[in-house]
Amino acid sequence: MSVTIRWLLEQDSLDLRIRGGNRRLDTEIANAHASELLEPFPWMAGGELLLTTGLRLPDGRADRFSYVRKLAESGAAGIGFGTGLSFDTIPQDLVDASNTIGLPLLEVPLPTPFAAVTKKIATRTAEIQFESMFRVWRAQPRMTRAAINGGTSAITRELADALTSTVLLVDRSGKVVKSHPNEPEPDVVAKLQSLTTGGGATPSRVGASANGTPISLQRIATSSTVHGFVAAVGRTLTDIDHILMGHAASLLALDFDSATRFDLDRQRLNSLALDLLLAESDGVEPVRSLVGESVGNGGPVQVLSLLAETSDRAERAAAAVAKHFTRVGLQLFHSVHAERVTVLMSRTENRGQVLEVVRAVNDSDRKHLRIGLSSPYAIAQFRHAVEESRLAAASAKAGAEPVEFGVMVGGVLLADSTTRHMLSAVGNATLAPLEEHDRANRTALIASLRAFLEANGHWESAAAALGVHRHTLRNRLARIENITHCDLDNARVRAELLLAMIARSSHPSSSSAATASAVR
């Protein structure tokens, strides 16, 4: 709200008339100033309604055009020309100049003193200032109550009502997270991106969208932490409006800060609960149940282990993971011991979610991390998940993507050249005699062994896969044990033989190299 040419014309007691420049009736007037100087321009601060009787008005048309132009360039809000003294009517060339240049020209009739115009403007300006301060006086307690009872959403609504404009809550990246009462236009969103990423330490910024929509931005921060920004969209704010913006930003900062402190306290409590589970202390069943409900809603959980080269890197990695969980709105249960970080997660079918957690760690630290992910387990079998994740991490390469335990046994071991070489050597020592027996006697010992191994030691399943009677398969396996001197009832022996068989069939060159080495 402000004093404008239009408002001044509406004051019947002044009896003013617009004579030129009527396209700019909404021009704001800061004050009224009477001057008969030929060149009052150096003493003008901008926003004045210059009152004159034309006592020293230039004579020539060109000089009068120059007079009006220089007034406009000095920031004058308009000209109030008093008639009935030096001139009975406003000179036409002054009217023409006013219309051409676009500076409002008002006729002040003889019965209306210049002092009356000055007083009317000063009084209204004072009223507006009082109304603005009263608006602040009313709005600040309302926003404070809103902060206590409704948080960020309520503060946003109250500020929008106080400013009579759209208010946006913006995060540090420039993304709009709340808006009231209207959603922002795309050009406003684009401008917000540039305003939030520029400006350095400046707490408040102003600008306009590509379509000319005014935007005022206030930073929300506590100490050195920037939580985001509050923006007013749709009109240029006054100094009083900026006071309200500052008050809202302070309340929002306190709200964000209290939420941050709550998250930190909750993370510390969660870490203590996880430490109790890791220590397998007595009486932790209630803790285990609560953790299971909090992480996976009672469903399966997985464990992510991060092995760092130093404890400092482990601490930084844990802090980065904690920030990620806070950002996505998830509870974090994690534990840091020396160079190891243990993170409890709900079961996920989406590997991308695991990668998001890992990539929250900065590149300089992540390239020194070895990361493993367990298979899904019920919370009661939490220890199994921990062991699996640690084994997977131990087999991972520093800086590589997480190794999943379920994939590790069948793939990661065989992908390692040293492990593959050892498995091939085992295979050549045990399987080569069987292959020689098959060639010499036209038997199928190798095929029978593989079917038995892939059936996980189940006679019936292996016999069905081969299409032979189970007694026939038993006889073949007894012959295999005699030739290889291996105990096929031992699960570890079966697992090693199957991996060796896969290594030989997948990498025949390695098999040959291992054979040559064994012969030498």
Side-chain angles (χ1 to χ4, degrees):
M1 187 180 298
S2 58
V3 179
T4 63
I5 297 293
R6 187 186 304 278
W7 178 88
L8 196 60
L9 290 169
E10 292 171 352
Q11 307 312 300
D12 295 337
S13 60
L14 297 178
D15 196 27
L16 304 181
R17 298 288 184 270
I18 185 74
R19 298 304 185 194
N22 56 9
R23 291 172 298 174
R24 297 185 55 195
L25 298 184
D26 292 319
T27 300
E28 296 183 5
I29 304 172
N31 55 68
H33 177 67
S35 175
E36 300 295 348
L37 292 176
L38 181 61
E39 295 189 351
F41 326 116
W43 292 275
M44 297 182 66
E48 296 94 345
L49 175 67
L50 183 70
L51 301 173
T52 180
T53 63
L55 181 64
R56 301 188 65 185
L57 188 69
D59 292 330
R61 179 179 176 84
D63 290 337
R64 288 178 177 176
F65 262 81
S66 177
Y67 174 79
V68 174
R69 186 183 69 254
K70 288 181 179 180
L71 280 177
E73 291 172 352
S74 300
I79 303 172
F81 197 95
T83 56
L85 292 174
S86 302
F87 293 88
D88 290 333
T89 60
I90 300 176
Q92 186 58 44
D93 45 12
L94 204 65
V95 173
D96 294 341
S98 170
N99 286 325
T100 301
I101 295 169
L103 186 67
L105 176 61
L106 282 63
E107 181 180 353
V108 183
L110 183 60
T112 302
F114 282 177
V117 178
T118 302
K119 183 178 179 180
K120 183 69 74 171
I121 293 173
T123 301
R124 182 54 186 158
T125 299
E127 289 174 353
I128 291 172
Q129 290 176 344
F130 176 79
E131 290 170 2
S132 297
M133 293 304 298
F134 185 72
R135 182 161 55 91
V136 171
W137 179 76
R138 292 186 60 190
Q140 285 183 330
R142 291 171 64 114
M143 282 192 283
T144 303
R145 287 193 295 271
I148 296 171
N149 299 321
T152 56
S153 296
I155 297 170
T156 303
R157 288 195 302 271
E158 286 295 338
L159 181 60
D161 291 344
L163 298 180
T164 61
S165 64
T166 294
V167 170
L168 311 174
L169 193 59
V170 184
D171 67 15
R172 286 174 295 182
S173 66
K175 178 183 177 183
V176 177
V177 294
K178 284 184 174 62
S179 62
H180 185 83
N182 304 312
E183 293 293 328
E185 296 294 331
D187 63 308
V188 171
V189 175
K191 184 62 180 179
L192 284 172
Q193 293 283 341
S194 63
L195 287 174
T196 54
T197 55
T202 306
S204 60
R205 303 160 201 174
V206 294
S209 70
N211 292 333
T213 303
I215 302 172
S216 296
L217 201 70
Q218 181 77 31
R219 189 176 62 194
I220 303 169
T222 53
S223 184
S224 58
T225 303
V226 177
H227 299 287
F229 302 85
V230 61
V233 177
R235 69 180 183 84
T236 302
L237 301 188
T238 65
D239 292 340
I240 296 296
D241 293 331
H242 282 291
I243 292 175
L244 288 173
M245 283 275 285
H247 182 66
S250 298
L251 293 173
L252 288 166
L254 291 173
D255 192 77
F256 278 115
D257 194 46
S258 62
T260 300
R261 287 197 301 270
F262 174 77
D263 286 338
L264 290 174
D265 290 341
R266 184 171 63 179
Q267 285 178 13
R268 282 192 285 268
L269 184 61
N270 290 350
S271 294
L272 177 60
L274 190 61
D275 284 339
L276 289 173
L277 296 185
L278 289 170
E280 296 186 310
S281 305
D282 294 334
V284 296
E285 184 55 38
V287 176
R288 183 182 291 113
S289 299
L290 287 172
V291 171
E293 287 297 326
S294 298
V295 176
N297 293 322
V301 298
Q302 289 179 272
V303 173
L304 188 70
S305 285
L306 293 78
L307 296 181
E309 293 179 352
T310 65
S311 58
D312 288 343
R313 289 193 190 279
E315 291 285 353
R316 288 197 296 272
V321 170
K323 285 185 178 180
H324 170 77
F325 271 71
T326 299
R327 186 167 58 251
V328 298
L330 294 176
Q331 281 203 61
L332 172 64
F333 287 80
H334 78 311
S335 178
V336 185
H337 288 285
E339 294 85 20
R340 178 185 289 117
V341 182
T342 304
V343 182
L344 186 61
M345 305 174 60
S346 61
R347 178 182 183 176
T348 176
E349 303 289 343
N350 184 358
R351 182 174 172 82
Q353 293 176 355
V354 177
L355 294 180
E356 284 181 6
V357 175
V358 174
R359 288 167 184 166
V361 182
N362 66 58
D363 292 341
S364 61
D365 285 327
R366 191 168 69 241
K367 67 183 180 182
H368 296 283
L369 294 180
R370 292 181 292 149
I371 306 168
L373 179 68
S374 75
S375 303
Y377 280 94
I379 191 65
Q381 297 174 299
F382 165 71
R383 290 295 310 178
H384 294 301
V386 172
E387 291 301 326
E388 282 192 4
S389 69
R390 290 178 178 177
L391 286 171
S395 72
K397 292 182 179 180
E401 290 190 352
V403 171
E404 297 179 44
F405 184 84
V407 177
M408 180 182 72
V409 175
V412 173
L413 289 175
L414 295 174
D416 183 79
S417 59
T418 303
T419 306
R420 192 172 63 246
H421 182 81
M422 292 176 64
L423 289 171
S424 296
V426 170
N428 288 323
T430 56
L431 302 177
L434 297 178
E435 292 173 343
E436 182 61 32
H437 186 280
D438 282 345
R439 282 194 296 270
N441 299 283
R442 309 184 81 177
T443 54
L445 298 185
I446 285 289
S448 299
L449 176 61
R450 179 148 193 166
F452 179 68
L453 296 175
E454 290 182 344
N456 200 24
H458 294 147
W459 297 91
E460 290 79 3
S461 299
L466 291 168
V468 300
H469 195 275
R470 65 179 182 277
H471 294 311
T472 302
L473 181 59
R474 282 181 181 273
N475 291 334
R476 291 180 183 177
L477 293 176
R479 198 175 309 162
I480 290 170
E481 287 183 328
N482 288 333
I483 295 172
T484 62
H485 306 291
C486 292
D487 180 10
L488 296 181
D489 288 333
N490 189 312
R492 293 187 178 182
V493 171
R494 291 199 305 272
E496 197 167 283
L497 284 174
L498 180 58
L499 286 171
M501 191 172 283
I502 294 171
R504 292 180 89 242
S505 61
S506 302
H507 304 278
S509 59
S510 299
S511 177
S512 301
T515 302
S517 175
V519 171
R520 288 196 295 270

